[in-house]
Amino acid sequence: NNARDEKFAKLLSKNEDDLVTFVADVNKLYQDKLDKPAPFITFVICGMQSAGKSTIMERFMNAPVNIVQEGTGTRCPLDTTCIHVSNLSLPTCELSGKELDNSPLTGLTIEEAFVAITQHNRALAKEDTFSCESLKLVYRANNVQNMCFVDTPGIISNKGAGQDNRDAIKKILRDTMKKPRSKLCVLIEPKEFSTNAIIDFCDETFESTSNGKDWKSDAIVIMTKYDKNLDDSRTTNKANKFFSEYHELGIFPYVSITPTLDREDLEPDQLFLERKKLLEDATAHEQEKFQGWISAHAKFRELDPDNPKLSPEITSRIGFPAAKNKMREVMLLDTAARLPEVLRSIREELSKCRNEKEMLEGKREYRNPDFLKRKVGDMLQLACKRIGNYLDGDLEAAVKFPESLMDLDDELDREDESEWADRTLGTVASLEDEERWRDLIHTLIERKEGLPNYVYAEKKFIGGKQFQRAKELMKAAMLESFPNVTEMKDYVASGAGYLQGGLQRENWERATLSIVKTTSKTAMHPGINFFIKHAGAIFRNLFQVALQDISALPDTKHLFDICPGMESFVTNKFDDMVWALMENAAATTHLAIEPYYSCLDPNIPNFRPPENDTDDECEEIDLNESIVSKLTSMFRKKMDDAMTKQLLRERGRERASEKRKFLAEKRAAMINEEETDEIIISALEYLLSLHEFIETILNFQTNYCLYNAFKEQLESFSRVVSDSDWAEMLPHDDSLDSMIEELDDKIDGLKGSLDSVNKMQMKF
């Protein structure tokens, strides 16, 4: 496309009529459809107050548009775009501006635009102020060439008289000249170079123009009101000398004469008519003046043949048409050079408008609650399916999202930073208990030995392996969290009490049970809460990974673009679901383990109390033969249902008949030191077996109430969210239809410009 555009620009630059027509179409497109400044060159006119800036601009337009009255003048920039329309019988105007009442004003005649501009300038003059806010005028006529101008307020030459507007004008000019398509047009008075105040002003204002050149060599300079200097330069010697100072410094001004009114303090409509007539006579008036000047030079040369000819640098720049042709030439050359860039811009704008239209049409479609509900449901089903894959094992996701893999430190930071860390989970363990558990884990990580190897703290995981590691962490931390039971020695006697049930006997069993209860509560319940919060943080992170995983899909991306708050909404719903799951898991898990430390049972698995008091054996039961060996033997004999039941009956009789010693039967009347040690040792042995047994219970419990329950919740999550009030979720926007229509209008205009390019390319 770039090479093709360059070729098209070269061909079009050789066909001026086609070029100007295309420029007019593009300018109109930018102004009318895109609401942007015209993309081709803009001439920024600056000069001293009453230097004739507005008159020069009006001569380009062949119509009066700006106020030219002593004491009023141009009080704000007038940004004017001229568009040539060959079949337009009467000129039309559009006027807009931030400070203009009822803006924009469309379908105005040139007279109406003139009145509106005049009234605005007079209002500013009445307040004795200048404004940096531009009025924007779009002028269409059949007798105007395509150009853009900015007429700026005149600079006051005498700082002591009136308001000093130099800083304001400097800001206006600098801001305008920052645009890459700006071209400076400086109007100077017919004075000696050294006394021409506008030169000093431009030196102060512009270090360089937009293309990096010195303003003197890059600007177009027009010396207006030259009729005031005709007598002083009536000989070619004087004329050449007058201009030589400018030429030596790189300034080659065009000279212009424009007739002026005898009086300007007229009402706007009358002033318009008088200025219109003046502009109609301007070219003839100027030709007459300059012809008389040149004829006078010829007569002087007849009297003095040594009098040199007028410098070609002057003769080639006499009259407003010469300046106008130069500006037209600059405009055409700039247009040809800028065409490829403009064409690229048009294509980019077309793509942007199409994308925006697609998004707006999607928004309009999503205004239907049923449609939105269905789309969100589909998205959540897909996200939950991805989470299920992560939990079951998903190597592809680990490779695709390496930044989502976490080591143990990452997971603990997420848990610690979540709002759940400071939220009470059930009533069994307090936040202070959980915080002590966190401190314990950090101590384990920081100490020399660290965590057991099987926790894999430094490995980066995603999905189910994270949950498994969290459980191993809980088990390892529970072992470390058990209090030192020997420190309870001083309290054992108090735990034994006195005369329970009227029996005068030391109750070692009650003391042992108190030790078991106290240590189990302290060690287990805060750890369960922490583990559940740890798992919840893992689940929450998996949801974010899943959203990221599906965000590149067109439907998901479209949904999030159209409904910016949707991601936050579904995330909050997911968090609510996970928290409810955590509360239920905490309640059931705490309740599940509490019975096991609420009473003592010497027959718990793996507990080996001291040898039995008697060696008596139950008849018909071989205590030396294990249940496993019996099962193996019977399996080899092809065990049937009856044999299985017989084996279970035997095992039941065996356990019921088995005699075990737990605590010594012989006890002192008042518990002593030796007996206290025996209770402590028995309690410790029992706790170790109980902990191993409860660990197994916790494994099953958390798998069922947390891990598998989470998977089940994932299956129903999309249905739960679908029950939301989607009508409330939809942003109220009645402007979608009008915005789409406006985009259709822009797209038609942009396509029309590109179609014109294609037709001209075929023509060439």
Side-chain angles (χ1 to χ4, degrees):
N1 274 344
N2 289 343
R4 191 177 182 186
D5 290 345
E6 296 284 352
K7 184 177 180 181
F8 171 69
K10 290 179 181 178
L11 291 170
L12 190 58
S13 64
K14 297 176 182 178
N15 296 267
E16 185 173 315
D17 289 343
D18 288 330
L19 178 63
V20 172
T21 301
F22 181 69
V23 167
D25 290 342
V26 173
N27 280 348
K28 183 177 180 181
L29 167 69
Y30 271 67
Q31 293 281 349
D32 294 356
K33 308 291 186 182
L34 306 183
D35 192 27
K36 291 184 175 182
F40 298 107
I41 195 168
T42 296
F43 292 98
V44 181
I45 303 174
C46 76
M48 305 306 293
Q49 192 177 51
S50 302
K53 301 181 308 305
S54 300
T55 303
I56 287 294
M57 193 176 76
E58 289 172 344
R59 288 192 69 178
F60 276 109
M61 298 173 63
N62 297 311
V65 291
N66 210 358
I67 191 165
V68 230
Q69 288 182 317
E70 189 69 31
T72 302
T74 304
R75 290 275 169 164
C76 67
L78 180 62
D79 193 336
T80 303
T81 298
C82 298
I83 300 177
H84 175 80
V85 184
S86 57
N87 61 352
L88 196 63
S89 57
L90 294 174
T92 62
C93 301
E94 294 174 13
L95 188 64
S96 61
K98 291 183 179 179
E99 296 178 347
L100 192 66
D101 294 337
N102 302 317
S103 175
L105 304 173
T106 59
L108 302 178
T109 64
I110 188 62
E111 293 92 342
E112 291 169 336
F114 178 83
V115 170
I117 294 169
T118 301
Q119 289 175 343
H120 182 68
N121 278 285
R122 282 182 174 173
L124 293 173
K126 188 175 181 181
E127 297 175 4
D128 193 23
T129 187
F130 290 84
S131 174
C132 294
E133 294 292 344
S134 298
L135 291 182
K136 298 184 183 299
L137 174 67
V138 180
Y139 177 68
R140 297 178 178 84
N142 60 12
N143 63 343
V144 69
Q145 67 184 40
N146 296 281
M147 279 194 182
C148 297
F149 306 92
V150 179
D151 181 17
T152 59
I155 300 100
I156 298 173
S157 59
N158 183 0
K159 296 183 182 180
Q163 181 174 341
D164 182 6
N165 67 339
R166 287 175 174 247
D167 288 339
I169 301 305
K170 283 180 182 178
K171 183 178 186 307
I172 292 169
L173 289 170
R174 284 171 180 158
D175 289 348
T176 306
M177 291 302 295
K178 284 178 183 176
K179 299 176 183 177
R181 59 185 178 275
S182 298
K183 182 79 171 178
L184 188 62
C185 180
V186 181
L187 304 191
I188 62 176
E189 297 173 279
K191 296 179 179 180
E192 298 290 339
F193 179 87
S194 60
T195 61
N196 220 319
I198 189 63
I199 304 293
D200 294 334
F201 178 84
C202 290
D203 284 339
E204 295 172 6
T205 306
F206 307 112
E207 293 181 3
S208 62
T209 54
S210 59
N211 57 14
K213 296 180 181 179
D214 179 77
W215 76 266
K216 297 184 184 71
S217 59
D218 193 53
I220 292 177
V221 180
I222 302 176
M223 186 176 287
T224 59
K225 302 183 179 181
Y226 193 73
D227 47 329
K228 294 181 179 181
N229 198 50
L230 290 178
D231 288 340
D232 291 338
S233 57
R234 57 184 176 274
T235 67
T236 52
N237 264 330
K238 290 184 177 182
N240 287 338
K241 182 179 179 182
F242 175 78
F243 283 103
S244 65
E245 291 182 336
Y246 290 94
H247 295 168
E248 288 171 3
L249 293 169
I251 299 176
F252 297 88
Y254 292 82
V255 290
S256 172
I257 297 173
T258 302
T260 56
L261 294 175
D262 294 332
R263 52 176 299 201
E264 296 175 340
D265 55 341
L266 304 172
E267 291 301 314
D269 53 352
Q270 184 62 32
L271 182 61
F272 172 82
L273 294 174
E274 293 294 330
R275 288 194 56 74
K276 183 179 180 182
K277 184 177 183 304
L278 196 71
L279 288 171
E280 291 170 355
D281 299 335
T283 301
H285 175 81
E286 183 179 56
Q287 288 176 347
E288 180 183 346
K289 290 285 186 181
F290 279 125
Q291 188 58 48
W293 184 53
I294 293 171
S295 296
H297 288 172
K299 289 179 181 179
F300 273 107
R301 291 190 69 246
E302 289 176 2
L303 296 174
D304 182 6
D306 294 333
N307 200 24
K309 291 183 179 180
L310 197 61
S311 168
E313 299 291 356
I314 301 173
T315 56
S316 62
R317 291 175 172 80
I318 293 176
F320 176 73
K324 183 177 180 180
N325 289 335
K326 177 62 179 177
M327 294 174 76
R328 180 180 177 82
E329 176 189 342
V330 169
M331 185 272 294
L332 292 173
L333 289 174
D334 178 83
T335 299
R338 203 179 294 275
L339 262 177
E341 177 189 339
V342 173
L343 289 174
R344 285 194 296 273
S345 176
I346 289 174
R347 292 191 182 98
E348 290 170 1
E349 191 70 29
L350 179 59
S351 176
K352 177 183 173 183
C353 288
R354 283 172 169 166
N355 291 338
E356 190 175 349
K357 179 186 175 184
E358 181 182 352
M359 186 185 72
L360 291 176
E361 286 178 336
K363 277 188 176 182
R364 184 166 60 183
E365 195 172 25
Y366 278 77
R367 295 287 299 160
N368 183 332
D370 293 333
F371 180 85
L372 181 61
K373 174 181 177 179
R374 185 169 67 254
K375 283 294 183 182
V376 173
D378 292 344
M379 178 197 71
L380 292 179
Q381 280 186 352
L382 183 57
C384 291
K385 184 178 180 181
R386 295 290 170 92
I387 296 174
N389 290 340
Y390 305 154
L391 295 173
D392 292 340
D394 192 340
L395 185 145
E396 184 180 350
V399 174
K400 186 177 180 181
F401 302 108
E403 71 282 358
S404 297
L405 297 173
M406 291 186 174
D407 59 22
L408 184 58
D409 276 339
D410 295 331
E411 293 175 7
L412 295 177
D413 287 343
R414 286 288 181 92
E415 189 280 331
D416 197 31
E417 292 167 0
S418 72
E419 70 273 14
W420 292 343
D422 299 320
R423 193 171 176 183
T424 302
L425 187 61
T427 59
V428 179
S430 67
L431 292 176
E432 291 77 12
D433 293 333
E434 292 176 23
E435 196 58 39
R436 284 193 290 273
W437 185 273
R438 288 187 182 88
D439 293 339
L440 169 67
I441 290 175
H442 287 302
T443 301
L444 284 174
I445 293 173
E446 292 172 0
R447 76 183 184 183
K448 186 176 180 180
E449 294 83 2
L451 289 165
N453 292 335
Y454 58 80
V455 176
Y456 295 106
E458 296 180 358
K459 287 279 188 180
K460 289 183 176 288
F461 296 140
I462 186 173
K465 268 291 178 278
Q466 290 180 276
F467 184 89
Q468 185 180 2
R469 173 168 58 194
K471 282 210 306 183
E472 295 302 329
L473 174 66
M474 176 183 67
K475 294 175 185 178
M478 274 187 177
L479 288 173
E480 299 290 335
S481 67
F482 267 97
N484 186 353
V485 294
T486 61
E487 294 178 355
M488 299 182 183
K489 184 175 180 179
D490 293 341
Y491 313 113
V492 170
S494 297
Y498 175 67
L499 205 64
Q500 286 96 15
L503 178 63
Q504 180 77 35
R505 187 171 184 268
E506 287 292 273
N507 195 340
W508 293 8
E509 287 78 10
R510 184 176 180 85
T512 304
L513 180 60
S514 297
I515 294 172
V516 170
K517 278 186 177 182
T518 302
T519 53
S520 296
K521 284 182 178 180
T522 302
M524 294 182 181
H525 291 293
I528 291 170
N529 270 14
F530 176 81
F531 164 69
I532 291 173
K533 289 185 177 182
H534 185 177
I538 292 171
F539 296 156
R540 170 190 268 181
N541 181 64
L542 292 181
F543 186 66
Q544 294 303 318
V545 175
L547 291 183
Q548 181 186 356
D549 198 352
I550 65 174
S551 63
L553 299 176
D555 280 354
T556 306
K557 186 176 185 302
H558 200 52
L559 177 62
F560 286 163
D561 287 343
I562 288 171
C563 305
M566 183 57 67
E567 184 173 355
S568 175
F569 172 76
V570 296
T571 299
N572 290 337
K573 288 288 186 182
F574 185 85
D575 288 351
D576 292 343
M577 180 268 286
V578 172
W579 179 254
L581 174 73
M582 291 162 59
E583 286 186 313
N584 181 68
T588 54
T589 304
H590 288 307
L591 189 62
I593 68 168
E594 190 172 351
Y596 295 100
Y597 62 73
S598 298
C599 59
L600 298 176
D601 182 1
N603 293 311
I604 62 172
N606 301 323
F607 178 57
R608 292 292 178 264
E611 292 296 323
N612 296 334
D613 288 335
T614 177
D615 292 327
D616 294 342
E617 294 184 356
C618 295
E619 295 181 1
E620 300 180 1
I621 296 179
D622 185 0
L623 295 178
N624 295 321
E625 186 177 10
S626 70
I627 186 70
V628 176
S629 61
K630 288 183 179 181
L631 280 170
T632 303
S633 174
M634 295 176 71
F635 179 75
R636 288 172 179 167
K637 297 176 182 178
K638 296 186 178 180
M639 177 175 62
D640 59 18
D641 184 59
M643 295 172 67
T644 303
K645 291 180 179 178
Q646 177 62 26
L647 177 62
L648 293 175
R649 291 190 197 100
E650 290 179 4
R651 180 60 179 165
R653 285 197 300 272
E654 177 184 334
R655 293 189 64 82
S657 304
E658 189 175 4
K659 298 177 181 179
R660 286 190 179 186
K661 174 186 175 184
F662 182 36
L663 294 170
E665 292 297 325
K666 296 178 181 179
R667 305 172 186 180
M670 185 75 170
I671 193 168
N672 56 40
E673 288 286 321
E674 184 179 345
E675 291 176 328
T676 300
D677 289 341
E678 186 176 345
I679 292 172
I680 291 289
I681 292 170
S682 296
L684 180 58
E685 290 177 351
Y686 185 84
L687 274 170
L688 292 175
S689 299
L690 180 64
H691 174 80
E692 185 177 346
F693 181 68
I694 290 179
E695 187 179 281
T696 303
I697 301 298
L698 280 176
N699 189 57
F700 284 105
Q701 188 71 24
T702 53
N703 283 347
Y704 178 76
C705 294
L706 193 57
Y707 192 75
N708 289 337
F710 176 62
K711 284 187 171 183
E712 291 177 3
Q713 291 288 339
L714 289 177
E715 294 178 2
S716 61
F717 179 60
S718 62
R719 294 193 298 273
V720 172
V721 176
S722 294
D723 292 336
S724 303
D725 188 348
W726 295 105
E728 286 189 3
M729 277 287 297
L730 296 170
H732 184 71
D733 189 356
D734 294 330
S735 63
L736 286 175
D737 290 339
S738 62
M739 291 168 69
I740 291 173
E741 288 177 9
E742 184 179 333
L743 283 170
D744 281 333
D745 201 25
K746 289 182 179 180
I747 290 171
D748 289 343
L750 291 162
K751 287 174 62 180
S753 293
L754 294 177
D755 289 343
S756 297
V757 171
N758 293 332
K759 289 177 183 177
M760 284 188 281
Q761 285 175 330
M762 294 179 66
K763 174 184 173 182
F764 296 151

